[in-house]
Amino acid sequence: MTSTTEWRDADKKSIDAWLNLHLLARRMPAGEDSRVLADAALARVIPLAAELPEDVPFVGVHAPTKPSAGVIEPWIELVEELSGTPESGTLLATGVELGLLGADRRIDERAAAVIAEGFELDTVQGALTEIGRQALLDPLIGSIAEQLAETVANDLTRRPLLRELCKNDQALVALKRTATAHPSLAVMSVYLWAVVDRYPDRRGQSAKTLLMLDPHAVGDVRALWGDDGPQTKEEHAELLRVFHDAERRPPELDVKRASALLMEESIEAPDKGDPLALALRGLPNHLELPAYCAWYASARRPGSTHRFDAWGRVAARALAPNHEVPPLRSEELLTIVAHELVSPQTLEGYFDAIERLREATGTKRFDEAMTFALTNALHDAEDPLELLAVTFSIWAKAPNGTGHSLHDEVLAPAARPYRRDDDEIRSHLGPRRQAEWDEFTARHSSKSRRFLPRLRSRAR
């Protein structure tokens, strides 16, 4: 047996004594004597670092006396040799217990490099957890963040790990320092993700920063709202505003999602200040989006400041066959359209709107909706006979035979309950319209009795 082996065996038998001596020395006031004593104990302990008992006396970085870098060197060299293996994490954890970190900056940087290399290992994560429990080792956490940042450009799996590490203030500060000087946008992306993780109210500004640095960084921008991008109405509105402010077209997927979310709620009485609808309005081609058109046609009805033809073009875009406006919303909009057309607040562009909407909806469906709307309006009117006369007169002015069709397919069935009041209705008309009314009644007097539509709920 060699003398070295004999000494090693002797140290192993006396390891508890050496560990206790090391603990006492490190707890002594800092000075040359306490350092020499701590170095002497560590010189016996470090060669056995991989064989120490589980209940090693905890020293930690806060101990007043620090060991010299020379005596720690064998430990860090062994850690580096085992880099990338589970054993490296175990040995690092032992070093944390013995207070070997925080004593020398260069050794800490070497330890940080080993941690960054084997970051995914459970044992390394265990050592990192112990490091994180000691505030005086925060600079080491910062060094780990800097070295880990160097790997995220080529290794996507490490990005969420670095984000998690940045829950530590020092790591976030270190990553910011690295990101501002790093040539890879990936590092800046991870930094901004980490910022948003901690400060969600800064998401919009972070997204604008990314788009400013790289207009094509769409994937990284979306990731600020999570791995699958924005999910809620509020999140989609925020993303759309970001792209609008950056004068960039938002991802088509998010435009479609936003449109679908807008159509999840009834449009019978929409919120005119809906943030998602207003965000969609900011898109250059918003009037080509059927879902937005459906919301807009309901939110802004025709009137003295809003011509029927302009409104009709928007409503027709939503009512034409498409996959963006669900059947329920389409029915709600058609009810609204019919209500506005039988109770017009203006006639500016009125007949243009009728022709356009009838074509978009389909004649049969349009006429049925109009019949129901007029039936409801007559039921609620103080003087339904006057309303019939007014409606007859308005539709009589329609060009291209539209009036004739409206009279026969809409007004006739809706007016059936009032067929015995023809003369009184006629009295509300001028001479020219009276002649047309006589022709209308004659045309329908010989026809079989038509089905009278039941009342249905009025458009709100």
Side-chain angles (χ1 to χ4, degrees):
M1 181 180 292
T2 64
S3 57
T4 301
T5 303
E6 291 174 350
W7 277 109
R8 183 181 179 85
D9 289 343
D11 288 341
K12 187 181 298 186
K13 293 177 182 179
S14 305
I15 191 62
D16 289 340
W18 287 119
L19 287 170
N20 287 328
L21 178 61
H22 171 249
L23 176 62
L24 291 172
R26 296 290 298 274
R27 287 181 174 178
M28 293 172 61
E32 183 63 20
D33 292 341
S34 60
R35 184 187 62 78
V36 170
L37 190 59
D39 285 354
L42 276 178
R44 301 296 191 277
V45 170
I46 285 179
L48 300 171
E51 307 173 51
L52 295 179
E54 292 184 2
D55 55 344
V56 173
F58 178 75
V59 177
V61 69
H62 60 280
T65 297
K66 308 297 182 187
S68 60
V71 77
I72 304 175
E73 183 69 24
W75 169 77
I76 193 62
E77 287 179 352
L78 181 58
V79 169
E80 289 173 328
E81 288 178 14
L82 296 171
S83 184
T85 70
E87 289 75 15
S88 66
T90 303
L91 201 57
L92 280 165
T94 299
V96 176
E97 294 286 314
L98 294 174
L100 305 185
L101 296 174
D104 183 85
R105 181 180 58 81
R106 288 171 296 179
I107 288 177
D108 285 354
E109 290 177 354
R110 292 163 67 182
V114 174
I115 293 172
E117 182 174 347
F119 201 77
E120 294 84 351
L121 296 171
D122 290 341
T123 56
V124 172
Q125 284 296 310
L128 184 59
T129 298
E130 296 303 319
I131 292 171
R133 289 173 178 165
Q134 301 187 60
L136 292 176
L137 290 180
D138 278 354
L140 174 59
I141 298 288
S143 181
I144 295 169
E146 290 176 345
Q147 299 196 46
L148 196 60
E150 295 296 332
T151 69
V152 298
N154 299 318
D155 190 346
L156 298 180
T157 64
R158 292 196 147 201
R159 296 185 182 188
L161 300 176
L162 181 53
R163 287 173 66 177
E164 182 68 19
L165 181 63
C166 284
K167 289 181 179 179
N168 179 285
D169 291 342
Q170 195 68 33
L172 187 63
V173 170
L175 181 57
K176 178 181 181 181
R177 185 168 55 248
T178 302
T180 53
H182 204 281
S184 173
L185 181 66
V187 180
M188 177 58 74
S189 295
V190 178
Y191 165 68
L192 292 175
W193 292 339
V195 169
V196 172
D197 288 341
R198 299 186 63 177
Y199 312 105
D201 59 316
R202 294 171 62 179
R203 181 184 287 113
Q205 186 56 51
S206 296
K208 291 177 184 178
T209 299
L210 272 179
L211 284 175
M212 179 182 67
L213 294 174
D214 182 359
H216 304 290
V218 175
D220 287 345
V221 171
R222 293 187 76 251
L224 289 169
W225 280 267
D227 294 339
D228 296 322
Q231 300 298 313
T232 66
K233 288 183 65 174
E234 294 74 18
E235 289 176 347
H236 276 90
E238 186 179 29
L239 179 139
L240 293 177
R241 287 195 297 268
V242 165
F243 277 86
H244 174 268
D245 293 346
E247 299 182 347
R248 300 289 301 174
R249 171 73 183 178
E252 197 62 32
L253 172 62
D254 294 307
V255 174
K256 290 182 177 179
R257 284 182 175 179
S259 296
L261 286 171
L262 187 64
M263 292 290 96
E264 283 188 353
E265 299 178 0
S266 172
I267 58 171
E268 290 183 339
D271 175 11
K272 295 182 179 180
D274 189 318
L276 183 58
L278 298 180
L280 283 168
R281 187 178 67 183
L283 298 178
N285 63 336
H286 59 279
L287 291 180
E288 297 177 14
L289 302 175
Y292 172 78
C293 289
W295 176 88
Y296 181 81
S298 178
R300 189 175 181 188
R301 311 288 179 86
S304 58
T305 60
H306 193 30
R307 290 171 55 100
F308 251 114
D309 48 357
W311 178 81
R313 283 193 292 271
V314 175
R317 180 72 181 88
L319 288 172
N322 67 84
H323 299 291
E324 293 186 24
V325 180
L328 181 58
R329 301 294 165 254
S330 181
E331 284 302 313
E332 288 178 347
L333 178 58
L334 183 55
T335 300
I336 292 168
V337 164
H339 172 76
E340 293 297 324
L341 290 172
V342 301
S343 304
Q345 302 301 309
T346 178
L347 293 180
E348 291 290 332
Y350 178 76
F351 296 114
D352 179 86
I354 287 180
E355 291 184 5
R356 192 182 299 274
L357 288 162
R358 199 176 197 187
E359 180 181 358
T361 307
T363 301
K364 184 175 184 296
R365 185 181 174 213
F366 179 82
D367 289 349
E368 287 178 350
M370 290 286 287
T371 300
F372 279 119
L374 182 56
T375 300
N376 287 337
L378 291 170
H379 179 269
D380 294 341
E382 292 184 8
D383 187 347
L385 304 183
E386 181 181 12
L387 177 58
L388 274 171
V390 170
T391 302
F392 181 85
S393 296
I394 292 174
W395 289 353
K397 301 174 184 177
N400 305 323
T402 301
H404 192 281
S405 178
L406 289 171
H407 285 162
D408 289 350
E409 302 302 327
V410 177
L411 190 140
R416 181 90 29 199
Y418 311 96
R419 61 190 180 279
R420 290 187 173 85
D421 300 305
D422 288 350
D423 290 341
E424 188 171 345
I425 296 171
R426 187 177 187 275
S427 68
H428 288 285
L429 301 170
R432 179 180 175 184
R433 298 302 176 216
Q434 286 180 350
E436 294 174 348
W437 177 258
D438 292 341
E439 180 185 343
F440 168 75
T441 56
R443 193 162 63 244
H444 290 278
S445 62
S446 61
K447 294 185 178 181
S448 60
R449 186 172 180 176
R450 295 188 177 186
F451 171 71
L452 178 62
R454 290 178 300 172
L455 295 177
R456 71 174 183 180
S457 59
R458 297 186 301 277
R460 287 179 287 174

